[in-house]
Amino acid sequence: MTLFGSIRAQRTLFCRGFSRWAQAAVYSEPGDLAQVLRVVWRQLPLELEPTSVVVKMLAAPVNPSDLNQIEGTYPVRGRFSDEVLGRDECSRERVAVGGNEGVGVVEAVGSGVSDLRVGDWVVPRRAGEYGTWCTRTVVGRSALVEVPAGWRLSVDSLTVGSMKVNPCSAFRLLRDYAQLAPGDWIIQNGANSGVGRAVIQMARLMGVHTVNVVRDRSPEEYESLDRELSALGADLVVRDSDLGAEWFKKRVREAGPLRLGLNCVGGRMTLAMSKHLGEGATLVSYGGMSRQPVVLPTSLLLFRDVRACGFWMNRWYENCTPGERDAMWRDVLAMARDGGFVAQPMDVSTWDEGLGLEEMRRVVGTAVAWNLARKQAFVFA
């Protein structure tokens, strides 16, 4: 059978054999997660537009930015559209599907799509293109980027589906703000976050040493986290209360100048951390978990020539070329394949339509709670 014939057969199969319905976590307006997010049956079009693609989701993480988006506090808004919801009793509502990151597999394509085949893995081109917290969706070809099979060889779907934000942020932070050489030292807070863990591992591969700041916690919890991050390659793990200690100041002097500071917290911790930056260093803020401003002493700017700037992964994607993006993804997935990079530990919930709507409402409601200690993710049955 020709490729065209194969694709045409798959397109007909969708119209005749695939489920007309899919489950999705949707919201009709921004607001409190517990109040606005709900799991529903969502009707899919029976006939495909020429440029449409049917994607069955394989895996999707739950990122803080996803929760902020639903609450209405994130710069990228969800994509709202008129949808038919429900199976027994249908209604038409304007809703958005939650989630911005994930990976799916192509199940069918429209007649005008010639560069994707059934079985290809795809990810959203950018945040806000379409919601990923759903079992299946139909989107335009322009909203998708293929992840070639050669890049993801021996890499599981959850690693592929969660590469675009945290690992790629770490990749850019280590390459775009300082010309780091083997033996150099950097410092970061939020070291046990997804980006922080990726920074530790990628810096190790570059021969760059890391000072890793975490929030104060009990001695037992700190020792456990110290062992965990050290196993990833962290050279020094300290609590934020250690930043003013004489032993820490001495340790930094012995290590050499800290050439790069990475901040995802803000407030008091970032102020204390910045005082250890070396002359001509750069402080890059990529998050603000404390919701406190970044305040720097004037002396750092005047006498030590420390620079401060911000980084947002979404902006980088908006401005990059396809070649730059593809090269980064290829390198990050190669690190994962070769064991140089291990994804952040996640609690994984299986999204299975066969378990029924009420059970999936419970599963999704649990996974999107703010008070969870570990990162959450969905894998789709």
Side-chain angles (χ1 to χ4, degrees):
M1 180 180 293
T2 65
L3 173 59
F4 175 79
S6 174
I7 292 175
R8 182 172 59 188
Q10 291 290 347
R11 186 165 63 251
T12 304
L13 179 61
F14 172 72
C15 299
R16 295 178 179 175
F18 280 96
S19 169
R20 185 178 179 178
W21 302 92
Q23 286 183 358
V26 305
Y27 57 104
S28 55
E29 60 181 357
D32 180 77
L33 285 162
Q35 300 298 320
V36 302
L37 190 67
R38 53 203 168 104
V39 178
V40 298
W41 286 105
R42 176 188 181 210
Q43 187 180 32
L44 300 179
L46 285 177
E47 296 290 341
L48 289 183
E49 296 293 329
T51 58
S52 292
V53 180
V54 184
V55 179
K56 181 186 182 301
M57 292 304 299
L58 298 175
V62 178
N63 293 314
S65 58
D66 299 327
L67 308 185
N68 290 147
Q69 184 182 68
I70 296 169
E71 293 174 334
T73 60
Y74 195 64
V76 177
R77 303 305 186 193
R79 184 176 291 272
F80 286 84
S81 60
D82 291 331
E83 304 278 357
V84 176
L85 307 180
R87 295 184 75 174
D88 299 327
E89 297 183 6
C90 298
S91 64
R92 182 174 290 277
E93 296 184 45
R94 187 168 181 81
V95 297
V97 178
N100 289 288
E101 192 180 19
V103 64
V105 61
V106 173
E107 283 193 331
V109 299
S111 60
V113 178
S114 59
D115 58 345
L116 284 179
R117 302 184 183 187
V118 173
D120 286 344
W121 285 20
V122 289
V123 297
R125 184 174 297 276
R126 59 178 65 86
E129 286 282 13
Y130 63 92
T132 56
W133 297 349
C134 58
T135 54
R136 182 179 281 113
T137 190
V138 178
V139 298
R141 171 64 184 91
S142 62
L144 300 168
V145 178
E146 181 191 358
V147 182
W151 297 4
R152 54 181 170 83
L153 187 67
S154 302
V155 181
D156 64 85
S157 63
L158 187 53
T159 299
V160 176
S162 57
M163 71 164 175
K164 282 187 60 184
V165 178
N166 290 342
C168 288
S169 292
F171 189 91
R172 299 259 58 95
L173 289 167
L174 289 169
R175 286 162 174 78
D176 294 351
Y177 296 95
Q179 294 186 359
L180 297 173
D184 285 343
W185 284 79
I186 67 172
I187 188 169
Q188 65 167 341
N189 57 30
N192 57 326
S193 67
V195 174
R197 291 167 184 267
V199 164
I200 290 170
Q201 297 174 80
M202 293 181 185
R204 182 198 66 212
L205 294 175
M206 298 167 64
V208 172
H209 303 290
T210 56
V211 178
N212 302 278
V213 186
V214 299
R215 289 177 297 180
D216 282 342
R217 58 199 68 215
S218 71
E220 295 78 17
E221 291 175 323
Y222 166 70
E223 290 172 6
S224 174
L225 185 56
D226 185 10
R227 289 192 298 269
E228 185 178 348
L229 298 183
S230 295
L232 296 177
D235 294 280
L236 183 61
V237 180
V238 300
R239 293 159 291 200
D240 60 346
S241 59
D242 295 324
L243 291 173
E246 288 302 320
W247 72 264
F248 178 72
K249 296 177 183 178
K250 180 182 179 184
R251 182 71 177 86
V252 170
R253 288 194 299 268
E254 292 172 347
L258 300 176
R259 301 199 53 220
L260 179 66
L262 304 178
N263 164 54
C264 67
V265 178
R268 177 183 57 82
M269 181 190 291
T270 302
L271 172 61
M273 184 182 79
S274 69
K275 294 178 180 179
H276 299 284
L277 291 172
E279 185 169 350
T282 300
L283 175 69
V284 187
S285 294
Y286 66 92
M289 291 189 291
S290 71
R291 302 194 177 184
Q292 298 297 313
V294 175
V295 179
L296 298 178
T298 303
S299 59
L300 285 183
L301 306 179
L302 293 182
F303 308 127
R304 224 182 290 175
D305 196 26
V306 169
R307 315 296 174 88
C309 61
F311 170 78
W312 189 29
M313 193 73 236
N314 284 344
R315 181 182 292 112
W316 190 90
Y317 280 126
E318 290 291 338
N319 296 328
C320 74
T321 66
E324 290 170 333
R325 178 201 64 210
D326 292 351
M328 176 179 65
W329 289 357
R330 186 171 57 245
D331 287 349
V332 169
L333 290 173
M335 293 179 199
R337 181 192 63 227
D338 297 339
F341 166 73
V342 179
Q344 177 184 8
M346 303 184 203
D347 288 336
V348 178
S349 299
T350 300
W351 193 320
D352 184 353
E353 289 181 350
L355 296 179
L357 204 57
E358 289 303 319
E359 175 63 13
M360 291 320 304
R361 286 171 176 159
R362 184 195 65 78
V363 169
V364 173
T366 299
V368 300
W370 269 113
N371 61 349
L372 300 175
R374 283 162 58 98
K375 186 178 179 68
Q376 305 293 303
F378 301 115
V379 295
F380 297 87

